[in-house]
Amino acid sequence: MAAPIRVLWDHSHLWGLLLCRGLAALGADFSPVSCREVASGELWRDPPRLLCVPGGFARRKFAALGPAGVRAVRGYVAGGGCYCGFCGGAGLALSHADGLGLCSWTRRAFADRLDHLVSGHVKLRLDPDSPLCPPSLPPSLTVPVWWPAGFAPPEDEADPDVVVVAAYDGAGPDLMLADIALGAMPGERLSACRRRFGLRLTPAFLDDGACVVAGRFGQGRYVLSHAHLETPDSPEANAWLAHLLGLLARGDGLGSRVPAWDPASEPVRFDDPHLAAAGRAMDRAIAAGLAARLLFRRNSWLLGWRPGMPGFPLSSLAAMLAGAAALAPNAAALAYWRDAGPDFAARLCAFADRLEVYFPARRLEITLSLVDGPDRADAGLAAEGRELFGQGPGGGGLCGELAAVLDGLLWRLLA
């Protein structure tokens, strides 16, 4: 019999690991399910009480599900199932070309590029009448978002079945706009930036934009949150997640706190030479970025980075490596890693070697561009960046290939 909570695994990387860690810390009974398993009928063979979908890129999740997987998720919810999506998992449920269409709302179009750069804690204003909001928490609380997208109602006709459970109510104390500590700036300083220089640093969606919505699809229901309630050591967010699990998955006796997480200090349970070698190489790569002042330590599990730098893909890769080493190996994981481990370690070591050259070169390029102008950009360096990290912000290239190998390992370890 399958666990009452299934976690849709593919293309979630760091966010999938954080959600599984959060569920385990709260004492929830869960197991991951792959998009391929969903497409082959796993949800109807043994329907879970709740399907949780972590963050990540909705387009990649949608493609991995394929037409059969999309039909399967829609059928599961329409038949009475519950869908709870966080960030990218929320975007997957919306109505657009790469969405499941569970919710009639769509993705909000970004009117300002600042909207893409927000991360950290925000203030929320909850609907006091919604049973989805725990009565133990205040109607105004602080929860984390990590580069959220947005919700937009359909232009033609309002859908009364979609309820805004929580709306943004301003910046929290650690909120960052790219690498600017926005939440720590006094209000009068933000006002002066706008008054004197015409700079609006605070994205408009932080004033009353929808952060959590909920509704019905057929006989089932969905809850879609841009807040990452599974974030380690975020007490109000964690308590809210526990409340939702109790309500949607009928989980009893759950805890209410996800402890802080320092991947580097986790005890090693999967003591493997290839994982260890890859971990050392990863440390070298990150050290090169820190030394070039293109990366910085945001917290124990997440890097910060100068805009345009591949900080998130590296954070995700490092956390996945540490997360895999901290899990006890099983037969399926050992068999997979016997084939994949040696090549993975060799490729990650080569990846780190290239980054030890790439980061100081990028730093020099940036410095020279300030002196000589933007035309100083080097075409060969740009090509190296594409080979290492792909074109977009999601971590493609060699980094994406390495993350995909770890994705397969973590799925087997968690199963």
Side-chain angles (χ1 to χ4, degrees):
M1 183 176 181
I5 300 172
R6 304 304 298 271
V7 176
L8 189 64
W9 182 251
D10 302 63
H11 300 288
S12 296
H13 298 173
L14 170 61
W15 306 124
L17 184 59
L18 280 183
L19 181 57
C20 289
R21 181 181 180 274
L23 293 174
L26 296 176
D29 185 5
F30 74 94
S31 65
V33 60
S34 70
C35 289
R36 180 178 294 180
E37 288 176 316
V38 168
S40 70
E42 181 71 13
L43 295 182
W44 64 258
R45 278 193 293 270
D46 196 355
R49 295 175 185 170
L50 175 64
L51 178 65
C52 280
V53 186
F57 286 84
R59 182 179 293 108
R60 295 179 186 178
K61 296 176 188 290
F62 185 83
L65 281 168
V70 169
R71 288 193 299 270
V73 176
R74 287 173 55 85
Y76 159 74
V77 181
C82 292
Y83 179 108
C84 187
F86 299 99
C87 204
L92 180 64
L94 300 176
S95 293
H96 51 81
D98 303 307
L100 297 170
L102 302 180
C103 176
S104 63
W105 286 27
T106 188
R107 295 181 293 202
R108 176 174 53 84
F110 285 110
D112 193 316
R113 61 184 177 179
L114 291 182
D115 292 356
H116 289 279
L117 305 179
V118 171
S119 63
H121 281 75
V122 296
K123 298 173 184 176
L124 293 186
R125 186 178 63 259
L126 305 186
D127 176 0
D129 299 322
S130 174
L132 296 171
C133 299
S136 60
L137 292 178
S140 177
L141 74 165
T142 303
V143 300
V145 296
W146 302 109
W147 307 279
F151 297 117
E155 295 181 0
D156 50 352
E157 184 178 353
D159 186 345
D161 293 330
V162 182
V163 176
V164 177
V165 178
Y168 291 104
D169 197 26
D174 68 342
L175 194 75
M176 296 193 74
L177 183 69
D179 55 349
I180 301 169
L182 184 66
M185 293 179 68
E188 60 270 20
R189 192 175 302 164
L190 292 171
S191 298
C193 284
R194 186 164 191 172
R195 185 174 60 253
R196 293 180 60 187
F197 306 112
L199 296 174
R200 182 181 62 80
L201 294 179
T202 306
F205 75 84
L206 290 180
D207 297 321
D208 207 39
C211 181
V212 181
V213 302
R216 293 275 178 181
F217 182 76
Q219 300 301 309
R221 64 194 303 191
Y222 58 81
V223 178
L224 311 179
S225 172
H226 283 304
H228 278 268
L229 305 182
E230 78 283 7
T231 298
D233 197 26
S234 186
E236 292 183 326
N238 303 158
W240 194 1
L241 177 58
H243 174 79
L244 289 175
L245 296 176
L247 193 67
L248 301 177
R250 301 191 294 279
D252 299 321
L254 296 178
S256 61
R257 184 74 178 264
V258 178
W261 184 38
D262 182 1
S265 68
E266 291 278 295
V268 174
R269 301 175 71 191
F270 191 173
D271 191 5
D272 173 82
H274 304 301
L275 275 179
R280 291 190 296 271
M282 196 75 236
D283 290 343
R284 285 195 290 113
I286 290 173
L290 295 171
R293 299 193 303 280
L294 300 176
L295 306 177
F296 60 93
R297 291 287 180 188
R298 180 78 179 269
N299 58 40
S300 59
W301 54 270
L302 181 66
L303 292 166
W305 55 90
R306 182 170 178 148
M309 293 300 110
F312 181 74
L314 288 175
S315 275
S316 189
L317 198 59
M320 293 168 76
L321 264 172
L327 292 168
N330 54 40
L334 288 170
Y336 173 83
W337 198 241
R338 271 195 298 272
D339 291 336
D343 179 66
F344 174 86
R347 295 177 73 199
L348 202 146
C349 287
F351 177 69
D353 290 343
R354 292 170 71 174
L355 283 177
E356 286 186 302
V357 177
Y358 175 78
F359 276 128
R362 279 302 310 270
R363 178 69 192 189
L364 180 60
E365 179 189 53
I366 290 168
T367 300
L368 293 176
S369 72
L370 296 174
V371 177
D372 300 334
D375 293 339
R376 182 74 193 197
D378 183 88
L381 195 51
E384 177 75 348
R386 289 192 296 272
E387 284 188 27
L388 292 171
F389 297 102
Q391 289 275 34
L398 180 53
C399 185
E401 294 170 9
L402 292 167
V405 176
L406 283 180
D407 209 45
L409 176 62
L410 282 165
W411 176 66
R412 290 165 173 82
L413 290 168
L414 288 163

